[in-house]
Amino acid sequence: MLTEDAAIAIQEELRRQVITTDELPDTIKIIAGTDVEYDKDSNLIAGSIVLLDYTTLQVVAVATHCMEVTFPYIPGLFSFREMPPLLKAWEKLPLLPDLIVCDGQGLAHQRRFGMACHFGVTVNKPVIGCGKTWLCGEYHDLGEERGSIAPLIESSEHIGNALRTQTATNPVFVSTGHKISLATATDIVLKLCTQYRLPETTRISDHYGRLALLEYKNLEK
DNA sequence: GCGACAG
DNA sequence: ATCTTGTCGC
């Protein structure tokens, strides 16, 4: 069993592989969203990855994987809990995306290695971290209108952005996962929030993950 | 020492 | 995270 100390050592090792500049294809055709759902009354979790056409945001493919949790929830070690079902779902994809949006932080993390970085260096693809709630860093004076941005600062480092994706809603927290700059990541997340607070990638993967969990539970009985 | 803490 | 209708406010 992986201990907390061992997990932190892995983070320290892998963080050096993170690329914080744009290494994207010339044109993004397929964008992926990832999410993990938790069953209320068991240890079951479902990893979910959806592929969308980047221009139309229509679903191209869906892959899910249900399994039991293998690691506890520890803030700062979140990725070790969600990586296993996501990697299993990743293996089931019929094609690979040009870019991925993870639910959770990237560099906006205590040790600069959140979920989006871990997934990015593991599958070696560009990944954006987009968290629904604050984890670390300070931000001030975020405007109220859609598109407003306030830098997330920790130890004098610009680790991410608070981004208001719709007027009069709570912000999301965007940071580099891998092979993408913060500016590009922020721009893309805003574009993906066509109608709701969260990017379509996150909303749709959440939906299919929930379905997969229900199907799996019904199949067991 | 205390508090804060992605999903 | 898990869950869910009605309700409040701009």
Side-chain angles (χ1 to χ4, degrees):
Chain A
M1 192 57 124
L2 187 63
T3 65
E4 190 168 336
D5 286 347
I8 291 173
I10 290 170
Q11 286 186 328
E12 301 290 350
E13 178 68 22
L14 292 179
R15 64 184 284 192
R16 294 182 292 119
Q17 297 178 26
V18 173
I19 294 169
T20 62
T21 52
D22 290 322
E23 288 194 11
L24 305 159
D26 292 334
T27 53
I28 300 168
K29 290 177 178 149
I30 303 290
I31 187 163
T34 77
D35 196 18
V36 175
E37 314 301 322
Y38 293 73
D39 185 26
K40 180 178 173 285
D41 35 41
S42 79
N43 291 325
L44 285 177
I45 57 177
S48 170
I49 304 178
V50 295
L51 303 185
L52 309 183
D53 181 303
Y54 186 59
T55 53
T56 65
L57 299 183
Q58 294 303 296
V59 177
V60 172
V62 178
T64 58
H65 185 83
C66 295
M67 61 183 290
E68 301 220 319
V69 288
T70 58
F71 199 83
Y73 171 66
I74 302 169
L77 295 177
F78 176 57
S79 62
F80 290 88
R81 185 172 173 82
E82 298 209 338
M83 282 287 284
L86 285 181
L87 288 178
K88 285 290 189 180
W90 180 259
E91 291 166 10
K92 296 178 181 177
L93 286 174
L95 69 162
L96 297 184
D98 300 308
L99 171 66
I100 301 155
V101 180
C102 276
D103 69 317
Q105 320 292 339
L107 291 180
H109 173 277
Q110 298 93 314
R111 290 175 294 277
R112 308 292 178 265
F113 195 76
M115 170 75 207
C117 300
H118 199 161
F119 195 73
V121 299
T122 301
V123 303
N124 193 29
K125 287 283 181 183
V127 180
I128 294 170
C130 180
K132 294 187 277 287
T133 58
W134 174 92
L135 175 63
C136 63
E138 289 187 357
Y139 69 100
H140 307 281
D141 307 319
L142 178 63
E144 288 299 323
E145 296 86 40
R146 169 182 157 87
S148 298
I149 293 167
L152 264 179
I153 307 290
E154 186 176 272
S155 308
S156 302
E157 294 174 68
H158 187 181
I159 59 174
N161 283 332
L163 169 67
R164 191 90 66 184
T165 57
Q166 300 293 345
T167 300
T169 64
N170 291 325
V172 299
F173 300 86
V174 181
S175 56
T176 293
H178 189 45
K179 290 188 169 181
I180 193 165
S181 66
L182 178 58
T184 303
T186 303
D187 188 51
I188 289 176
V189 168
L190 184 59
K191 283 175 180 161
L192 289 170
C193 297
T194 52
Q195 197 172 358
Y196 299 94
R197 173 183 173 239
L198 300 179
E200 286 303 295
T201 40
T202 302
R203 298 183 63 253
I204 296 171
S205 59
D206 176 282
H207 174 252
Y208 283 103
R210 193 174 309 282
L211 281 185
L213 204 49
L214 289 174
E215 269 175 40
Y216 189 87
K217 285 175 69 179
N218 288 335
L219 226 64
E220 298 256 292
K221 305 169 185 175

